[in-house]
Amino acid sequence: MAVNNAVLMRRDLLTRLSTLFYSGELELKVDRIPLDLRPKGVETSRCCVYKDRAMLRYKVMALLGFNIRDEIDELTPLSDYVKIAKERTELSKEPLTVVDDVCSACVKVNYVVTNMCKGCMARPCMSSCNKNAIYFEKGQAHIDSDKCVNCGLCQKNCPYHAIIYIPVPCEEACPVSAISKREDGTEVIDYDKCIYCGRCIVSCPFGAVMEKSHIMDVFNAFGSDKKVIAMVAPAIGGQFKAPLGHILGAIKSLGFDDVIEVAKGADLTTENEAKEFIHKMEEGQQFMTTSCCPSYTAAVGKHLPNLVPFVSDTLTPMQYTAQIAREQYPNDILVFVGPCLAKRHETFCDENADLMLSFEEIGSMFVAKGINVGTSEAMELDTAIDSTSRGYPVSSGVMAAVNAKIAGRVEVNPLVINGLDKAKLKELKSFPKGCSANMVEVMACEGGCVNGCNVIANPRVASRQVGEIVKNG
Amino acid sequence: MSKKLSVTICTGTLCYVMGGAELQVLEEYLSPEIVDQIEISGSPCLDCCNQDGAGKAPFVKIGDKIISEASISKVVDAIKEELNVE
């Protein structure tokens, strides 16, 4: 994920929330956050300092885990939301919330006539429009937004290139058309379609699509008399400039009672997926796809029903790790630490895992607590874990692990789908009619989990680092 | 040839989280001629984040100069300025 000001602002807000939590002043000072970030007299990013502060306040609300559309009015201070969050025992089912007042900045109609319009006599824009949406005023063309259906014919036909296309970034990024405008111009997410890939979060230039963070719920867990266990996804290995043992040790020092590598669960995924593959091939099944990317499995469930029989039944590394952790800690709180929204949703659905922290949230907590990962006390790594399991988060890593486990017992013709977009979804749809491979690895993010929607490190740097860990494992 | 210009990128956690992680690919944005004249290294902490008035993270040290809120483009410009190249 490319770093930009919207991303950095989110991290800044997370860090401020965590700092106030660790100093015990969250309720007391949370309402100051928007004012501290936009004090009187500073340059503002929108029309005025008050609008900026209001936007920041809504973003804090999302980070406290609230749906912004549930707000009654602005008179409820953030401290009240902190109080409610401290008492809550259940997470919101819908993982995303849209900051409406920011969101409405985007156009409703994608085509705009610029003042380059000459108001020509031919007026091909007008004659090509089937919806009668073009009208002329003061010698220039205009588009009636109530009639326009975004077909683009006017743009194609304008001899002066005077009509431009303005995208709505989130809609454009969504591979399954799950985000669209309501009457008032703000975006709404259709969870019957959403595959939790997180592209809308990453693509919105205003940072208006936000995950409802579990950070408050993790703070509540730290304050409870239960143990709090972190289950850390293997993509963490590439997130900081430090050896894996130091990263895990640093996570522990945030207040966790134990830290378990999700690579431990990946060992089981590898073993069972290899067994399942051999069995299915012997039964004569055409091909099998991996199942560890929850965004991909959501895409199959919601958009590619003909692929359902071909997806592996094997659980994901997170699900196996949560089973193992639950056996060890039957009554305690299990927090998955991972790279993306899809994993947040998977955590929500899992019967064993309780909460989820993103890498970004973990990073912000480090900053708040003044932890420098490189100089943290290292945790001893679990030597029983197979090194290939730590390679899962990079595209083709799952294939490599499962293929090594099969060890030639049946022939493997691999195919790696590196990132899901509209074209790849279409390609996948055709696989039951004919697929050149018999084993297909699918990861929704290009490059793998190291390119999840809330990672810290540059994905290429992270891949290299993960590769080193596997090699030295 | 004279001594190489040192470019030290802070890889401390604060800098890394606040956008410094991206600076790991700095070299890709520099011409081979410039790369030849500099020495890029990482520092576990340049000790700037806890000093008042040092500016905001991420930090990069170019020669003796500290760059705050360092981005790839800001660092590339500063290197070119130090080396006196276009």
Side-chain angles (χ1 to χ4, degrees):
Chain A
M1 178 182 54
V3 173
N4 58 42
N5 286 336
V7 172
L8 293 179
M9 178 53 82
R10 189 172 63 225
R11 291 183 193 168
D12 196 344
L13 290 171
L14 281 166
T15 305
R16 283 166 195 266
L17 281 176
S18 309
T19 305
L20 291 179
F21 166 74
Y22 283 119
S23 69
E25 299 170 305
L26 187 53
E27 221 175 294
L28 191 69
K29 293 191 177 164
V30 67
D31 281 288
R32 281 216 60 85
I33 292 178
L35 289 87
D36 289 342
L37 277 163
R38 286 290 182 273
K40 273 188 178 170
V42 299
E43 201 183 317
T44 60
S45 51
R46 288 186 203 94
C47 57
C48 64
V49 78
Y50 308 106
K51 175 106 178 178
D52 271 21
R53 288 175 185 169
M55 295 308 108
L56 291 169
R57 182 178 163 279
Y58 285 127
K59 290 191 173 189
V60 172
M61 247 182 95
L63 297 178
L64 291 172
F66 290 90
N67 192 356
I68 289 154
R69 282 183 190 146
D70 290 345
E71 184 198 46
I72 299 166
D73 61 40
E74 298 95 313
L75 267 189
T76 310
L78 289 171
S79 55
D80 277 16
Y81 289 107
V82 170
K83 273 186 218 149
I84 300 168
K86 275 183 178 170
E87 298 300 319
R88 75 172 166 227
T89 51
E90 276 181 23
L91 294 171
S92 162
K93 182 170 175 257
E94 298 172 346
L96 292 168
T97 181
V98 180
V99 188
D100 287 340
D101 299 65
V102 182
C103 175
S104 51
C106 273
V107 291
K108 206 164 151 191
V109 165
N110 294 122
Y111 293 89
V112 174
V113 184
T114 67
N115 58 9
M116 292 296 115
C117 171
K118 310 263 189 197
C120 63
M121 180 178 266
R123 299 189 172 176
C125 54
M126 207 172 192
S127 44
S128 66
C129 179
N130 297 321
K131 297 289 169 189
N132 205 18
I134 303 273
Y135 62 95
F136 276 76
E137 216 175 78
K138 291 180 184 158
Q140 285 192 319
H142 294 268
I143 297 172
D144 181 341
S145 60
D146 290 332
K147 291 180 181 167
C148 175
V149 291
N150 288 320
C151 72
L153 283 173
C154 56
Q155 188 203 28
K156 261 189 215 127
N157 285 291
C158 173
Y160 292 107
H161 295 199
I163 300 174
I164 56 164
Y165 173 77
I166 303 176
V168 176
C170 61
E171 291 181 10
E172 214 111 309
C174 179
V176 291
S177 307
I179 190 161
S180 58
K181 281 199 184 296
R182 302 191 293 187
E183 270 298 298
D184 66 357
T186 58
E187 297 288 331
V188 64
I189 294 155
D190 180 351
Y191 288 100
D192 289 336
K193 291 181 180 169
C194 177
I195 59 169
Y196 314 104
C197 67
R199 305 266 165 82
C200 51
I201 307 173
V202 177
S203 65
C204 176
F206 284 91
V209 186
M210 296 196 63
E211 280 180 73
K212 288 180 227 164
S213 172
H214 301 172
I215 201 162
M216 270 306 293
D217 310 272
V218 173
F219 292 155
N220 292 344
F222 284 153
S224 73
D225 48 15
K226 290 183 177 181
K227 282 187 179 152
V228 190
I229 317 303
M231 306 182 290
V232 186
I236 197 81
Q239 295 303 305
F240 300 93
K241 212 75 197 144
L244 181 58
H246 287 265
I247 302 176
L248 300 177
I251 292 176
K252 192 155 192 275
S253 66
L254 286 172
F256 290 97
D257 295 280
D258 194 3
V259 176
I260 303 171
E261 278 185 79
V262 169
K264 198 179 167 115
D267 276 357
L268 288 172
T269 302
T270 307
E271 196 180 320
N272 293 332
E273 206 149 284
K275 260 190 228 159
E276 187 186 356
F277 180 75
I278 293 169
H279 178 71
K280 287 194 165 158
M281 289 306 109
E282 284 169 354
E283 269 191 338
Q285 187 172 303
Q286 212 182 332
F287 67 97
M288 184 182 99
T289 83
T290 53
S291 60
C292 45
C293 171
S295 185
Y296 163 61
T297 50
V300 171
K302 294 177 184 179
H303 303 279
L304 309 164
N306 62 338
L307 229 64
V308 172
F310 299 97
V311 179
S312 157
D313 297 323
T314 301
L315 299 185
T316 71
M318 194 285 281
Q319 291 166 329
Y320 280 127
T321 309
Q323 278 182 357
I324 298 167
R326 186 49 79 209
E327 260 174 48
Q328 201 180 340
Y329 301 101
N331 301 311
D332 296 312
I333 298 165
L334 307 180
V335 182
F336 173 68
V337 179
C340 67
L341 172 71
K343 281 289 182 192
R344 188 182 296 280
H345 185 67
E346 188 184 75
T347 307
F348 176 81
C349 298
D350 189 77
E351 54 180 343
N352 294 309
D354 297 301
L355 300 168
M356 192 270 190
L357 281 177
S358 71
F359 291 163
E360 214 175 42
E361 288 160 350
I362 279 282
S364 302
M365 287 164 78
F366 285 152
V367 175
K369 237 191 157 191
I371 293 170
N372 199 349
V373 178
T375 52
S376 295
E377 196 182 328
M379 223 180 88
E380 215 160 298
L381 296 184
D382 186 342
T383 49
I385 294 173
D386 194 281
S387 69
T388 57
S389 293
R390 296 197 177 103
Y392 263 58
V394 176
S395 174
S396 81
V398 180
M399 179 71 80
V402 177
N403 204 351
K405 189 56 108 185
I406 292 166
R409 282 178 281 170
V410 293
E411 195 191 344
V412 178
N413 298 314
L415 176 70
V416 172
I417 304 276
N418 181 13
L420 281 183
D421 55 20
K422 283 195 171 101
K424 286 280 165 56
L425 286 169
K426 219 170 152 188
E427 191 186 332
L428 276 163
K429 208 173 192 166
S430 73
F431 281 3
K433 285 184 226 138
C435 175
S436 60
N438 64 0
M439 192 194 287
V440 184
E441 178 203 278
V442 189
M443 293 198 194
C445 295
E446 203 181 333
C449 316
V450 287
N451 193 20
C453 64
N454 35 41
V455 297
I456 293 167
N458 178 294
R460 275 177 295 136
V461 176
S463 301
R464 273 205 298 272
Q465 237 170 277
V466 167
E468 288 293 313
I469 294 172
V470 175
K471 211 172 76 190
N472 302 330
Chain B
M1 210 191 113
S2 59
K3 206 171 145 256
K4 286 188 175 185
L5 175 68
S6 74
V7 177
T8 315
I9 300 166
C10 185
T11 60
T13 301
L14 194 154
C15 283
Y16 220 66
V17 172
M18 293 308 170
E22 210 55 37
L23 299 168
Q24 292 298 310
V25 294
L26 172 68
E27 206 174 306
E28 295 171 17
Y29 293 82
L30 297 166
S31 66
E33 295 79 49
I34 291 183
V35 171
D36 270 350
Q37 297 175 62
I38 60 172
E39 179 129 32
I40 301 176
S41 62
S43 161
C45 184
L46 286 171
D47 217 19
C48 298
C49 48
N50 43 29
Q51 283 174 32
D52 283 341
K56 272 167 77 178
F59 295 98
V60 173
K61 198 172 172 187
I62 298 172
D64 298 323
K65 215 188 270 174
I66 294 281
I67 310 281
S68 63
E69 284 180 80
S71 60
I72 297 253
S73 58
K74 219 169 156 181
V75 174
V76 169
D77 285 351
I79 291 173
K80 285 180 179 170
E81 199 187 306
E82 276 305 303
L83 292 174
N84 229 339
V85 291
E86 276 303 301

